Structure formats: C-alpha cells, structure tokens
Amino acid sequence: MMTLACLDTLGINTLKDGDTYYSVLTGNTKLMGQGSTFSAQSPIDGVTLSTFNNATPAQLEKVNAELKDAFKVLRTIPAPRRGELVRRIGDEARKYKNELAQVISLEAGKIVPEALGEVQEWIDVCDFAVGQSRMLHGLSIVSERPGHRMMEQWQPLGPVAVITAFNFPMAVWAWNAMLGLVCGDPILLKPSEKAPLCALAMYQIAQNVLADMPDIPKAAVSVMIGDRELGEAIASNTTFPLVSATGSTTMGREVAKTVAGRLGRSLLELGGNNAMIVSDTADLELALRAIVFSAAGTAGQRCTTLRRLITHESIVDGLVERLAKSYGSLPVGNPLIEGNLVGPLIDEGSFNRMQTALDTAKKQGGDIICGGERVTENVPAGGFYVRPAIVRIAHDAPIVHEETFAPILYVLTYRSFDEAIEIQNEVPQGLSSAVFTESMREAEMFMSPAGSDCGIANVNIGTSGAEIGGAFGGEKETGGGRESGSDAWRNYMRRTTNTVNYGGDLPLAQGIVFE
Ligand code: UN1
C-alpha cells in the first residue's frame, strides 16, 4: 500500500526485528512476544500490515516490576511537570497529525476526515489534561471538633491498564493515558490486536518526548500486544488498581468479574444501542444530517453509532423516504480517497454478523428499506464494504435490542412522547441518546430524571461525535464508566481524607467519652 511511508515517518519501523514487531515495550525494554504469531490486516484491502507474537502472562510479570518502579518515581514528580510531559506529547501529536491519522485509516479503515478527528481528540485531551495537572483539587472540610480541620487529597493511584478496541485505537488510549499520566500513574496499553500499529505509533511519540525528560520514567508509557490470555492476566493482577476496558459487553463482563474478584476497580465503556427520538415538531433538515452521520458514519462502528430511530408515526414515511434517498447517494469506498464517506467494515466476521442480523430482522418482521449488500465495484478487493442499511421493524423485535457493530439503522415508531422515552430506555445498553424536537417540554422531559437513562442525552444533535470535555460513558450494560472530560480524572487517583488536630486536646468525634 502506498501510504506505508507514515510508518517510517513515525519511527514505527524501528520497533521490529526482521519482519516481526516487538510486542513488549516499556521504554527500557523491547521484547518479542513469546506466544503465538499473529498478523493484522488492513480492512481497506485485506493486505497484511504487521506481524507480532503475542506477549505472554509470564512477560507481564517483568513489565509489572518496571511499572511498579516507575510509579514510585512518577508519584513524587509534581503534577504540573507531569502535565509538561502531556503538553509535549500533544505537541508531537499535532506535528504528526496526518501520519497518525493514516495509521488509523490503515488499521481501522476510517475515512481520513474521521481519522484526523480521532487524532484531534488526542490533541484536545492533552490540552485538557495539562490544565487539569494544576487542578487536582480536593476539598477542605470543617471539623466537628475544636482545634481540628479536615481536607481531602487526591493521590496517584498506581499503574493503570488500558484495554482498547479497534474502532478508536488512539482516542480511547489518549483519554485514559493523558489524564492518568498527569495523575501520576504509569499506563500499560493492551491494544486491540486489529490495531497494534496505532499503539506503536503512540508509544513512539511518547517515548520521543520522554527521551528529552530524563526525570520521568520511560515505563510510564508502556505497551504489551497480546491476546485474550494477556487481557485475563492483566485483569487478575493486583499491580493494576484500575483496569480501564473498552469493547464488547461480553469482554467487559469478564474483565469486571475478574477485577472485582480481587477487589480492584474497573472503568468500563462497553456496548451501546443508541437511539434518537424524532418528534413531529423536529427540524427535519437538521435531523436528517444528524441521522446520516450518526448511523452511517464510521461504517456504523462507533459505540455511539445511532442504531434505533424512534420516529413519530405521523412523520415516519416521509422521513424514511428522504433517508433512503440520502443513503442511496452515500459514497462507499476506499477511506483514503477523498470524498468517500463510508469505509470498510473491520473484517469478514463483522460482515457476516451484519448479514446474520439483517436475516434475523427479516424473520422478526422487519422490512429492509435499503442497503445491507456488499459493495464490490470501485472498492479495493479484499475489503468488506457494505451499503448502510435501513430497516423498518417493531421496537420490541429481539434483534433491535442487540448491538450489531455495523451500519444498520432500525426505524421504529411512537405515538406519545412518554412511549418514545419508554422505547428509548427498554434496551439493556445505556450509552448515548438524542432527541430532535422544537418543543421545550419534550427536550426538558428527555433530559429529566424521567427521561433518557443513558450516560449521554443530546438535544438536536446526533448520538455520536461527543466532545472530549464531557464525561464519556454510559449506564446498564455499557458498564457505568466515565472517561475523558469533566471530573473523570478522579478515576485515576485515590482519595485520602486527612483530619488534623492543631489543638492541645484530644476530643473524640460523635462526642464519645473514653476515659
Ligand atoms: C467509541 O466508539 O468507542 O462520541 C468512542 C464519539 C467519539 C468517541 C467514540 N468521540 O463518537
């Protein structure tokens, strides 16, 4: 593929021996994995981009020793200095934005504007984290006892493991790592096996900066590339007080159980089944644009992708007709070619799951309005390109309650706004949601305690494309975690409550007399 030059520019090609890349990277140590060999293919054309050996649980032990040593140093470095590290990493990400985006496109199949947007999330969260590095505030609290005062401090937590998915290979690491670093935690990344070069690119950028900051331990930014066995070893290891995992609900359930078994903390961002309510009062021009980006963008492979359109029955026919027209003109093809808006699915398995979901929808009474078929003309051979699908179906058809990680939009109808909210909330997932309405009552109702039960509830914008400044994540099977903005930094710290006696007496709390 002609764009592989980005790997040279980013220095990723130095991270290999022969044709095989290193799987264990701690800044001090570069090792081949000792497990089985695997290779990662580009979803664009199926061509092999990289070959690795899986890192093993035994190798994790060695890395953990380095992470623990790194933590001892990192926790004592003033937080603004750790912010300086993140600021410089952000500068490098700015400098290599195009090359980084290319690696995302190659491995995840994103169209270039969306890949650039993902790198921008990394850059933005760096800025956010740099500011936060001077604002790791605790409270000061009045004491009930004379001559005492109380305060809270936020302390570094320890090494944090970050397990990521293929679809946001840079942004999700960055949300966790940039904040974790300013909080004083070394970060071990276990990336998706479908996007290992993205991990190497981020590692290399961070190590270039660390080379210039000798007071900061290099293992603060570490990577291990491995399979499920490595993931399990990480989840069960007490080295990591926090495991942050993004991916399927099935994976999250396993991680959560294992981490909870040792009473560690997990930060989960799992499946979504995101809905938009389109009211009969909605501005349909705005709604249409939002629907197409949210449902067909990223080929339906965002956890925030719009999957259920809950439409007022009086407007559904016209809306579906206009949507089908927009879908018909969506350029599907090579994501590296300007103008294409829908790139490939990640792999054949994903294509098969989409086909199965469409067959199931038909069996459950669904009517496929358009799309779903494989596109083979004017696309690179070896990639799995599809036309995004629109399916009219009942809101309670079982398939509608599942997340299929592909561009299928289920169109459902409602009569009363209360019913719309009930439909919105009736699925097991709870990530993102939206309403299009010009009615202030409906908008406020949607955001009220009796409204959407999701972590994200938007008005007159789509379900996907959240800014980094907000806390990102969702409820129910989405896992309950919040990452990125707002006060998500607290996940990466431990809170201490300090009570200080500056008096000459020793009064006990609650007025207890013990003498
Ligand atoms: C994901 O798909 O895992 O809100 C994250 C969005 C992006 C992040 C998606 N900022 O769509």
Side-chain angles (χ1 to χ4, degrees), residues 222-395:
S222 295
V223 175
M224 284 184 87
I225 292 166
D227 56 11
R228 192 194 156 114
E229 199 193 357
L230 178 67
E232 281 165 9
I234 288 172
S236 62
N237 201 304
T238 52
T239 301
F240 304 103
L242 175 68
V243 178
S244 171
T246 300
S248 68
T249 297
T250 313
M251 177 280 297
R253 226 185 275 282
E254 291 304 312
V255 169
K257 265 191 229 156
T258 309
V259 176
R262 60 174 172 89
L263 300 179
R265 296 189 208 162
S266 44
L267 177 54
L268 302 173
E269 203 251 288
L270 312 173
N273 192 348
N274 316 298
M276 179 194 291
I277 298 173
V278 187
S279 152
D280 50 348
T281 69
D283 177 335
L284 289 180
E285 297 306 318
L286 282 191
L288 261 169
R289 282 168 49 205
I291 295 165
V292 177
F293 174 68
S294 288
T298 332
Q301 299 172 112
R302 287 192 191 220
C303 52
T304 50
T305 290
L306 174 61
R307 310 206 180 275
R308 297 178 299 140
L309 193 67
I310 308 168
T311 314
H312 192 271
E313 61 175 9
S314 66
I315 56 164
V316 68
D317 292 337
L319 184 60
V320 167
E321 201 177 304
R322 291 180 71 182
L323 265 177
K325 207 165 157 226
S326 298
Y327 266 48
S329 62
L330 271 176
V332 178
N334 187 334
L336 299 173
I337 295 178
E338 206 182 322
N340 283 335
L341 294 181
V342 181
L345 293 176
I346 188 69
D347 57 18
E348 185 172 5
S350 168
F351 173 75
N352 291 337
R353 283 189 290 279
M354 179 178 181
Q355 299 310 309
T356 307
L358 289 170
D359 287 345
T360 309
K362 265 193 263 177
K363 285 191 196 120
Q364 294 176 359
D367 181 13
I368 299 181
I369 305 293
C370 66
E373 68 275 16
R374 189 167 173 188
V375 175
T376 48
E377 270 174 36
N378 296 322
V379 299
F384 286 85
Y385 294 81
V386 288
R387 292 220 69 85
I390 300 176
V391 181
R392 277 187 76 166
I393 191 165
H395 68 87

Side-chain angles (χ1 to χ4, degrees), residues 449-467:
S452 163
D453 64 1
C454 290
I456 297 171
N458 294 335
V459 175
N460 292 337
I461 66 162
T463 54
S464 65
E467 301 178 20

